[in-house]
Amino acid sequence: MPSPLALPARLVGGLLDRSRAGFRQLDTGGHALTVGVVVLVTVATAVGVVALGAAFDATIDREVTVDNPDRPPEATCEAFGEDDGSLVAERCDEPERVDVDVGEELRSAADGYVGYALIGVPIWWAVFALALHGGARLAGGSGSVGDSFAIAAWAIAAELPRLVAGLAAIWYGLATTTVQGTTMEAIANELVAAISAMQGPLLAASAVVIAVQWVVVVGGLEAYHDLDRGVAGAVAGGFAVLGFLIAAV
């Protein structure tokens, strides 16, 4: 009687064979696509940050009263606010409290992280590639650092579906939440609770993406570092477990 694990094993083996063959085909033409893949992921991540801000703005229709950031502290106004024509005096004429649109404020705050996305993805790629290269070397791999960077680039490309799924889940969580807080702190707690409620779908999406990345890395280690499948699977598995633990936090 065939083992119940025979079919899944054949399916996984077939995917690994395709991954290895894909890297070998890329190898014949060099790694010209590597940088292009990273640029694509970087731009997509930056767009994702903008989309997150748009989600806040589109789903949160709430105003709160906050301290006016354009007005100097009261001590400053008391000391210099009487100087006619001075810039301080003009700013001290501003109201102490103003109404702000929460959605617009959060969108503006999110847009401030676009720059971090543009530099963060390449840094993440480099760290992952160097760690992967070190793991491959310890396992007896023979590939170059450039090979490891190519494997890492195609692995992080799998993050694009997770990005889309994450944005969709967050948008849904925000759209189905009625914001009732009267302060920014109270509203922030409500938003955290709404996003936390989507932890299950987000974790499931992360598991699928990490599984795909495992297949990609194993195929790359076989093709470029000449590692046996079992060894390559163990090296990639270590990174997969670490990635899942980070996603679960």
Side-chain angles (χ1 to χ4, degrees):
M1 181 178 178
S3 169
L5 297 178
L7 180 59
R10 284 199 301 271
L11 291 175
V12 173
L15 291 174
L16 293 174
D17 289 340
R18 291 186 179 186
S19 176
R20 180 183 59 197
F23 275 108
R24 286 178 175 170
Q25 289 177 355
L26 288 173
D27 191 41
T28 59
H31 302 314
L33 291 177
T34 299
V35 175
V37 170
V38 176
V39 170
L40 174 62
V41 177
T42 301
V43 172
T45 303
V47 172
V49 173
V50 175
L52 178 61
F56 285 130
D57 195 14
T59 58
I60 302 173
D61 184 15
R62 188 78 171 176
E63 286 190 351
V64 296
T65 302
V66 299
D67 292 334
N68 187 354
D70 295 328
R71 191 179 192 276
E74 190 60 33
T76 301
C77 290
E78 290 178 357
F80 306 102
E82 300 299 328
D83 296 339
D84 293 337
S86 70
L87 180 60
V88 173
E90 291 180 3
R91 293 181 60 192
C92 286
D93 289 336
E94 295 283 339
E96 295 184 11
R97 305 274 288 176
V98 293
D99 294 331
V100 298
D101 184 289
V102 176
E104 291 182 0
E105 287 293 308
L106 291 176
R107 181 186 64 185
S108 178
D111 289 346
Y113 285 92
V114 170
Y116 291 100
L118 293 175
I119 64 174
V121 172
I123 292 174
W124 171 35
W125 170 48
V127 171
F128 179 32
L130 293 174
L132 182 63
H133 187 72
R137 281 294 190 180
L138 288 174
S142 58
S144 67
V145 173
D147 293 331
S148 297
F149 269 85
I151 298 170
W154 288 99
I156 68 171
E159 293 290 340
L160 294 180
R162 174 156 53 174
L163 176 65
V164 174
L167 287 172
I170 291 174
W171 196 303
Y172 176 80
L174 295 175
T176 55
T177 298
T178 301
V179 177
Q180 299 178 333
T182 57
T183 65
M184 290 296 289
E185 182 179 359
I187 292 175
N189 291 334
E190 291 179 2
L191 297 181
V192 169
I195 295 174
S196 297
M198 305 305 297
Q199 183 68 20
L202 290 174
L203 194 58
S206 294
V208 173
V209 169
I210 291 171
V212 172
Q213 291 175 324
W214 179 82
V215 171
V216 171
V217 173
V218 172
L221 291 176
E222 286 188 273
Y224 291 165
H225 285 278
D226 295 325
L227 292 177
D228 292 337
R229 178 156 297 179
V231 176
V235 173
F239 289 101
V241 170
L242 179 60
F244 187 78
L245 290 176
I246 293 175
V249 173

